[in-house]
Amino acid sequence: MTAENAAGVKLVLAIVQDEDANALSESLLAERFSLTRINTAGGFLREGNVSFLLGVEEDRLGQLLSIIRRNCVTRTQYVSPLPPIMEPGEFYMPYPVEVQIGGATVFVFDVERFEQL
Ligand code: 2BA
């Protein structure tokens, strides 16, 4: 990918679970995708996850998405909701709620310009 051919270049942001990040990274590098990996945290669960940034040519987007799909597993997790504001003497019993996470949350952006300076 060079600065001259930014037309057709996409920027992919893929947020994946910590548990899947190493296998995904290895698979992507083995297929010669360039990537940046950032340690992030989900706003809802407030647990660590990993965000991958990848600049790719449009014709490799399908391959990239299938590698992500293959490596990122859907998991079930139980979370305890935050307690409500209560009046004195009220009693609240927190019940864990089941949430499904992943495989991956993926955003694809058009790239206007690509430069390596
Ligand atoms: P978290 O925000 O920690 O969310 C973890 C999981 O909790 C979500 O899984 C979803 O199943 C559930 N969840 C999130 N918000 C909820 C809510 N308000 N009520 C009930 N359940 C809720 P995923 O959808 O697979 O998302 C995994 C991670 O991907 C998220 O972690 C967040 O870091 C990122 N993400 C998901 N959607 C996003 C978006 N629209 N914009 C930015 N980041 C996003």
Side-chain angles (χ1 to χ4, degrees):
M1 203 167 61
T2 62
E4 295 77 49
N5 65 2
V9 174
K10 302 286 180 190
L11 178 68
V12 176
L13 166 64
I15 305 161
V16 311
Q17 295 169 75
D18 268 343
E19 293 90 327
D20 297 326
N22 287 342
L24 175 60
S25 184
E26 279 161 28
S27 301
L28 290 169
L29 293 172
E31 294 296 329
R32 305 176 62 82
F33 283 97
S34 298
L35 62 89
T36 297
R37 180 180 161 156
I38 310 168
N39 290 333
T40 45
F44 184 68
L45 294 182
R46 297 171 204 191
E47 287 183 359
N49 53 27
V50 177
S51 296
F52 287 89
L53 284 174
L54 304 103
V56 289
E57 274 140 12
E58 196 166 14
D59 58 3
R60 298 196 73 201
L61 192 55
Q63 185 192 4
L64 170 58
L65 294 177
S66 51
I67 294 172
I68 295 173
R69 207 169 277 124
R70 230 179 19 245
N71 282 277
C72 296
V73 176
T74 302
R75 295 186 178 86
T76 301
Q77 190 159 327
Y78 289 88
V79 288
S80 296
L82 291 172
I85 297 164
M86 304 212 317
E87 297 296 327
E90 278 185 328
F91 177 72
Y92 170 70
M93 175 66 87
Y95 288 103
V97 177
E98 185 181 298
V99 289
Q100 290 268 324
I101 313 168
T105 299
V106 179
F107 300 88
V108 180
F109 304 85
D110 290 329
V111 174
E112 193 173 304
R113 190 168 166 144
F114 171 71
E115 304 261 10
Q116 286 182 304
L117 304 174

